[in-house]
Amino acid sequence: MHKKIFHFLPILFAIFLGGCAVFDEFLQIGPDSVQDSRGEFNSVIAETNDQQLLLNLIKRRYGDSISVLEVSSVSTSVEWQRGGSVALTIFDDTTAGIGGAARYTEKPTITYLPLKGGDFIKKVLSPVDSDMLMLLSRSGWSLDRILNLVVNNINGLDNAHSASGPSPEFAPSYRRFDKFLTAMRKVERNDLQFGYLVKADKTRQLALYFRKSSLNKPEVQDLMEIMKLDGKSNIYPIYAELETEENRAEIQIDFRSLAGIQFYLSHGVDIPAEHMSQGLVQRTKNEDGTIFDWKLITGDLMTIQSTKNEPINAAVKVFYRDYWFYIGDSDITSKYTFMLLNQIASLQSGEIQESGPTLTLPVN
């Protein structure tokens, strides 16, 4: 019997080692860990970024302080350990055994960076760069959506500039700007676009270009008349300032800041009736004393709904002040505006700079 055991031991040991090798080959721990964890980390970071942005919009509407905590870095280490043993006992009874053990360990470490300090606040409160119009329009966004978000005033057309801050007491002016947006939508995209004028000193000046062959189109003439342009040229330089004297040969724009854009969109939050009755938000009134409907301004851009119960079909949702606030997954208009806001926030915030203590957490 003892001899038979000794004969089988090499075979058993070989099977054990071969099995471990095959198991390692089958698992492919390194590639599998990248395939499994990279997508999950990416999805969670994107989802929580959206939740943070949505929450800050809601806080703006309620007049609460906001904060921005960025994921500065994510690192993870993967460890795979295995071992085996062969035991043989020969006394009155002969016993033989093969044992094995394996352990897989993943240790993620996430570093958070709070965005604050003078440089960051200055970027948030500074008007957006006029060149952003070019970047966003060339990336496929419609001109009317871009201008509706980033412009307070264009050639004297007021785009609810008082909504670029805490909710005003009285209804803002917006009807003439809405007429301008309606006229712009009627002009075909290839008839109207942003471009650069190159000056004699080689500097570039952002301008609005009309295609020459389109100048006699009724919709183009209507747009020029609303914008108070003289119609003598197809190229109108854009200046990020408002002058006291009207110049019909140029376009003067007062741009919003990132904070102003957030305040503006925060008026698209559907405030629960309970919160309205408790006076938790500023009520904006019309001239006759009735409550102003903010959907007249933000309805074409974004609607943030609210409900007591957790929404099922939501693109992004957060729980705040005992209510769920969310953007519906089928609300394409709001989702696109939210995506555009994300891009503007990234462009305007610039590169993340360490302005305070970082928080690094090992995830168990």
Side-chain angles (χ1 to χ4, degrees):
M1 181 65 179
H2 294 169
K3 292 182 179 180
K4 291 181 179 180
I5 291 295
F6 282 118
H7 285 310
F8 280 109
L9 276 178
I11 299 175
L12 293 174
F13 194 63
I15 292 174
F16 175 72
L17 292 178
C20 288
V22 172
F23 190 59
D24 285 352
E25 182 68 24
F26 176 75
L27 278 181
Q28 293 184 333
I29 296 298
D32 284 347
S33 66
V34 173
Q35 184 176 22
D36 294 338
S37 63
R38 180 171 182 172
E40 293 178 0
F41 276 120
N42 191 42
S43 297
V44 170
I45 290 174
E47 181 180 352
T48 53
N49 281 343
D50 285 348
Q51 291 171 347
Q52 179 176 246
L53 182 58
L54 178 62
L55 179 59
N56 283 338
L57 287 179
I58 297 164
K59 285 186 174 182
R60 295 274 194 194
R61 185 67 174 96
Y62 278 87
D64 297 335
S65 298
I66 71 168
S67 61
V68 180
L69 191 65
E70 290 290 337
V71 177
S72 177
S73 66
V74 177
S75 62
T76 183
S77 61
V78 177
E79 184 180 3
W80 165 247
Q81 295 178 340
R82 63 176 174 85
S85 62
V86 177
L88 175 65
T89 303
I90 304 176
F91 287 107
D92 294 334
D93 296 323
T94 301
T95 59
I98 298 177
R103 185 178 67 178
Y104 170 78
T105 305
E106 184 174 2
K107 298 179 180 179
T109 301
I110 301 175
T111 301
Y112 296 101
L113 179 65
L115 299 187
K116 58 181 183 179
D119 290 341
F120 174 71
I121 297 300
K122 187 181 295 184
K123 290 179 180 178
V124 171
L125 297 181
S126 298
V128 300
D129 193 325
S130 59
D131 289 335
M132 189 181 293
L133 297 180
M134 173 69 80
L135 291 174
L136 295 176
S137 65
R138 291 291 174 90
S139 64
W141 294 106
S142 62
L143 299 186
D144 61 290
R145 187 188 295 268
I146 298 171
L147 293 174
N148 200 358
L149 271 188
V150 306
V151 169
N152 273 323
N153 188 297
I154 179 169
N155 276 12
L157 303 174
D158 188 3
N159 184 25
H161 77 276
S162 61
S164 298
S167 299
E169 184 178 355
F170 297 103
S173 172
Y174 67 94
R175 297 187 183 280
R176 291 173 62 206
F177 196 88
D178 272 2
K179 186 178 179 181
F180 155 70
L181 292 178
T182 300
M184 177 167 279
R185 294 186 189 104
K186 294 179 181 179
V187 177
E188 296 182 13
R189 187 177 180 86
N190 58 352
D191 288 336
L192 181 66
Q193 60 183 311
F194 292 113
Y196 286 109
L197 284 171
V198 181
K199 299 181 179 180
D201 59 358
K202 303 300 182 181
T203 59
R204 299 187 306 175
Q205 172 69 51
L206 186 67
L208 186 65
Y209 281 74
F210 292 90
R211 193 169 60 174
K212 286 185 177 181
S213 59
S214 70
L215 292 179
N216 293 325
K217 291 183 177 180
E219 58 269 25
V220 172
Q221 292 180 351
D222 183 44
L223 178 60
M224 285 189 168
E225 182 178 351
I226 294 173
M227 295 181 68
K228 302 177 182 178
L229 300 177
D230 56 19
K232 297 179 180 179
S233 173
N234 70 310
I235 302 175
Y236 291 87
I238 296 174
Y239 296 95
E241 55 191 13
L242 290 180
E243 298 179 359
T244 55
E245 295 184 5
E246 182 180 289
N247 188 338
R248 297 174 65 88
E250 63 185 33
I251 298 174
Q252 301 171 15
I253 297 181
D254 175 26
F255 287 100
R256 288 192 172 104
S257 64
L258 176 57
I261 295 172
Q262 292 176 338
F263 271 119
Y264 182 69
L265 288 177
S266 74
H267 294 99
V269 177
D270 178 22
I271 304 298
E274 177 186 3
H275 292 177
M276 291 292 290
S277 63
Q278 293 174 356
L280 298 182
V281 298
Q282 170 72 50
R283 291 192 178 197
T284 302
K285 298 180 181 180
N286 294 305
E287 292 182 357
D288 60 2
T290 57
I291 302 300
F292 177 69
D293 184 5
W294 280 103
K295 291 181 180 179
L296 295 173
I297 291 180
T298 61
D300 292 336
L301 284 174
M302 180 184 291
T303 300
I304 301 172
Q305 303 179 63
S306 61
T307 179
K308 266 288 186 181
N309 301 317
E310 184 174 0
I312 299 175
N313 298 318
V316 55
K317 58 186 177 183
V318 293
F319 190 71
Y320 188 65
R321 289 180 176 265
D322 299 324
Y323 276 84
W324 284 96
F325 295 86
Y326 68 99
I327 294 176
D329 201 23
S330 59
D331 186 356
I332 302 300
T333 297
S334 296
K335 288 169 66 175
Y336 278 157
T337 300
F338 193 76
M339 184 190 303
L340 178 57
L341 175 61
N342 252 319
Q343 293 183 7
I344 293 174
S346 298
L347 289 170
Q348 192 69 3
S349 298
E351 185 178 354
I352 297 176
Q353 300 288 342
E354 291 190 12
S355 56
T358 58
L359 177 63
T360 301
L361 298 177
V363 182
N364 296 323

